[in-house]
Amino acid sequence: MRWKLLSVSLLLSLLSSPLSSACYFCLIDKNLTDTLCTGYKLPESSVQSYEECFNSVRRVFLDDRSVAAAGRVGRGYEEQLKTILNRLIAEVISVTRGVVSTVNRYTYLLTTAADQFKSEAWKLPRASGCIPPCGYQKSGAVYNCVTCKYDGCGFPLDCPIVERTVHEKNRTALECSVDFEIPRDAQFNWNYVKEVKTNSLNLFKVVTSGSDRWFTILRTRRSQQGTYMCEIFDQEKSIVRLFFFLRVISKNQIAEAELQELFDSSLHSDWEGAETKAETEAETEATSLSRLTSAIDFLLTPGNLSQDVFIYITVCVSALLLLPLLCTGIVYWWATKT
């Protein structure tokens, strides 16, 4: 009886220690651990030691991080983890019952049980995964057999604001929809704040509440511009909030926008035409100058022309240069004679 009381106190102290954070202590029945350590004897003195037994358990199931990784299963499967581990520890107890076992033997049996636990645990379904960027997602929660709790996705409840532009007097439909699974009996609360774009919760007023995920405005008015918030509840617990900023454009605004767009398009087209024309003229002038330069270079290059031809060209060029001077002299003589 004394040993049993001592084992219980030791177990409680180990469970409260930060070093005891291992899958074993989350999943195992405490009575099984007490029974498991009954035959544990110290090798030097063959004295029964619950504390050393618990330390052996902790080393095997804590130091090997793959045990904790195998225990990260989807929601609802932690009970199967408990069944697997309790069965394996019961098998170790059946082998050591009534037999004085050494530390090495206990370590071997516990290590074998841990390996078998990992093999079977990895066959259980994992969580379906978290879908960003927002919302509390049950399907993405993972059981953490180190903390004995579920790890959530860690996303905020508030989703980013989505902007919608609609024409005045047209029908508007907003859908409260997310990519992750929500309960079938979920409740949808629609809230509204006029004109401003915001996600400040204290500014919103409830518009409607019920099972309808759609919010519809048959003929949208300019006065209905503002932010609409849909909040989804699961058994009175908020799981996600979606925000829609509705911008309502009147017919006059549409006409002005279209006229401005037409003007900008025309101005852009004229500017491009002027640039193209200037570029074409510059290219033509450059081409002509290049051809003239090439011709002069050819004429001035020794060996390209014979001596007679060169003299002939020189005389022709000189005559062409003297011809205007000669014509001017004739005109002057004629004018003074008369």
Side-chain angles (χ1 to χ4, degrees):
M1 182 67 180
R2 180 182 144 204
W3 278 110
K4 188 168 184 179
L5 291 174
L6 180 60
S7 68
V8 172
S9 64
L10 284 171
L11 179 60
L12 291 175
S13 65
L14 287 170
L15 289 174
S16 62
S17 169
L19 293 177
S20 66
S21 298
C23 285
Y24 181 93
F25 296 97
C26 280
L27 303 175
I28 203 68
D29 185 350
K30 295 181 179 60
N31 294 329
L32 277 181
T33 301
D34 180 59
T35 307
L36 173 68
C37 293
T38 302
Y40 191 96
K41 304 286 185 179
L42 295 177
E44 301 85 0
S45 58
S46 296
V47 175
Q48 187 177 13
S49 175
Y50 281 90
E51 183 176 2
E52 287 300 321
C53 177
F54 292 145
N55 285 334
S56 295
V57 171
R58 189 168 55 191
R59 283 192 296 271
V60 171
F61 284 91
L62 174 61
D63 292 348
D64 187 354
R65 295 185 179 182
S66 60
V67 174
R72 294 180 63 82
V73 296
R75 179 176 290 274
Y77 291 97
E78 68 274 14
E79 293 300 324
Q80 295 190 37
L81 284 179
K82 293 179 181 179
T83 300
I84 293 171
L85 188 56
N86 279 273
R87 172 175 53 81
L88 293 172
I89 296 301
E91 292 176 0
V92 174
I93 292 173
S94 66
V95 173
T96 58
R97 179 172 294 171
V99 178
V100 177
S101 300
T102 63
V103 175
N104 291 337
R105 179 165 174 75
Y106 260 94
T107 302
Y108 170 77
L109 293 173
L110 290 173
T111 303
T112 302
D115 291 341
Q116 184 63 28
F117 170 79
K118 290 185 289 184
S119 176
E120 296 186 33
W122 276 115
K123 296 177 182 178
L124 296 177
R126 308 283 114 178
S128 59
C130 298
I131 302 175
C134 54
Y136 173 74
Q137 304 172 30
K138 275 188 176 181
S139 58
V142 179
Y143 181 73
N144 189 334
C145 66
V146 174
T147 61
C148 312
K149 297 178 180 179
Y150 283 99
D151 290 340
C153 296
F155 298 142
L157 291 184
D158 293 350
C159 297
I161 300 176
V162 177
E163 294 192 12
R164 290 277 303 274
T165 300
V166 297
H167 295 167
E168 193 176 23
K169 297 183 180 180
N170 283 4
R171 180 178 179 273
T172 301
L174 303 176
E175 183 183 8
C176 191
S177 177
V178 290
D179 293 331
F180 57 87
E181 184 180 359
I182 60 175
R184 291 184 178 180
D185 56 348
Q187 180 178 345
F188 301 86
N189 284 8
W190 284 94
N191 305 263
Y192 170 66
V193 57
K194 189 175 182 178
E195 285 295 338
V196 298
K197 177 182 177 181
T198 181
N199 59 357
S200 182
L201 300 180
N202 60 331
L203 298 177
F204 286 88
K205 293 183 179 180
V206 178
V207 178
T208 181
S209 178
S211 59
D212 192 357
R213 68 172 62 225
W214 288 92
F215 184 81
T216 305
I217 306 173
L218 296 180
R219 287 175 61 84
T220 309
R221 300 189 303 274
R222 179 66 180 79
S223 60
Q224 292 172 309
Q225 177 171 291
T227 305
Y228 294 79
M229 177 185 73
C230 172
E231 189 168 12
I232 304 178
F233 287 88
D234 177 21
Q235 298 179 356
E236 300 184 355
K237 180 181 178 181
S238 178
I239 59 176
V240 67
R241 288 187 287 260
L242 290 85
F243 298 85
F244 305 89
F245 177 66
L246 195 65
R247 180 180 288 106
V248 183
I249 301 179
S250 65
K251 291 183 178 180
N252 292 336
Q253 289 175 308
I254 298 172
E256 290 176 2
E258 291 177 349
L259 184 61
Q260 183 65 40
E261 184 179 354
L262 181 62
F263 175 77
D264 293 342
S265 176
S266 176
L267 184 63
H268 184 66
S269 176
D270 292 344
W271 177 257
E272 285 186 342
E275 283 188 335
T276 303
K277 183 177 179 181
E279 290 176 358
T280 302
E281 291 177 352
E283 289 177 358
T284 303
E285 184 177 351
T287 302
S288 301
L289 182 61
S290 176
R291 290 176 179 175
L292 178 61
T293 303
S294 299
I296 294 173
D297 290 342
F298 177 78
L299 292 175
L300 296 179
T301 302
N304 285 341
L305 297 174
S306 64
Q307 185 176 3
D308 294 340
V309 173
F310 182 79
I311 294 172
Y312 176 75
I313 291 176
T314 303
V315 171
C316 290
V317 172
S318 300
L320 289 174
L321 293 175
L322 291 173
L323 183 61
L325 183 62
L326 181 62
C327 292
T328 302
I330 294 173
V331 171
Y332 177 77
W333 175 79
W334 180 264
T336 55
K337 184 180 178 180
T338 57

